[in-house]
C-alpha cells in the first residue's frame, strides 16, 4: 500500500472518529500534492471527504471553496450540490442554498429536512 493510500485511510479513520479537524489537515495535504502533480482526475472522493470534514469542523468558507471546485468540474455531482446547500444554510445564505438543494434532489440525492 502506498504512502498516499495509507494517509487517505488514516484521514478516513479520523473522520469516522469525528476528528474532523485532523482529518481535514491530512486531506488538504493530499489534495495539495495532487494539485502540484496535476493528477486531479479521480480526486472527487478525496475532495468530498475534505469538504465534509471542513463542514463538520465549522470551516464553512473552506468547505464552500472545495465544493465550488468540484461543481465547476462536475456540475451534476448530487452530493456536492447537497453539501453546498447545507454549507450555505449554515452561513445563513438560505436563498443561495435553495437552488443547490433543489438541484441535488432533482439529481436523485436524498434530501432530508430540505
Amino acid at each position: 500500500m502506498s504512502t498516499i493510500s495509507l494517509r487517505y485511510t488514516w484521514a478516513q479513520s479520523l473522520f469516522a472518529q469525528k476528528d474532523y479537524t485532523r482529518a481535514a489537515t491530512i486531506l488538504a495535504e493530499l489534495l495539495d500534492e495532487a494539485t502540484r502533480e496535476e493528477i486531479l482526475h479521480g480526486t472527487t472522493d478525496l475532495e468530498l471527504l475534505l469538504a465534509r470534514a471542513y463542514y463538520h469542523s465549522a470551516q464553512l468558507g473552506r468547505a464552500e471553496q472545495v465544493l465550488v471546485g468540484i461543481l465547476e468540474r462536475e456540475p451534476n455531482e448530487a452530493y456536492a450540490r447537497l453539501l453546498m446547500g447545507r454549507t450555505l444554510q449554515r452561513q445563513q445564505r438560505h436563498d443561495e442554498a435553495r437552488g443547490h438543494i433543489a438541484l441535488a434532489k432533482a439529481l436523485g440525492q436524498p434530501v432530508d429536512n430540505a
Side-chain angles (χ1 to χ4, degrees), residues 3 19 21 23 50 57 60 68 70-71 105:
T3 303
D19 191 347
T21 303
L50 175 59
S57 61
L60 302 176
V68 164
I70 294 169
L71 293 171
K105 187 174 184 177

Side-chain angles (χ1 to χ4, degrees), residues 48 55 67 71 77-89 97 99-105 107 109-114:
L48 281 171
Y55 175 86
L67 292 164
L71 293 171
E77 171 51 62
Y79 186 74
R81 287 280 172 199
L82 177 61
L83 188 54
M84 177 65 91
R86 296 294 186 231
T87 299
L88 294 169
Q89 284 177 330
H100 289 285
I101 292 171
L103 188 50
K105 187 174 184 177
L107 291 168
Q109 178 65 43
V111 179
D112 297 332
N113 303 322

Side-chain angles (χ1 to χ4, degrees), residues 10 25 34 36 44 55 67 82:
W10 176 241
T25 299
R36 279 182 300 181
T44 301
Y55 175 86
L67 292 164
L82 177 61

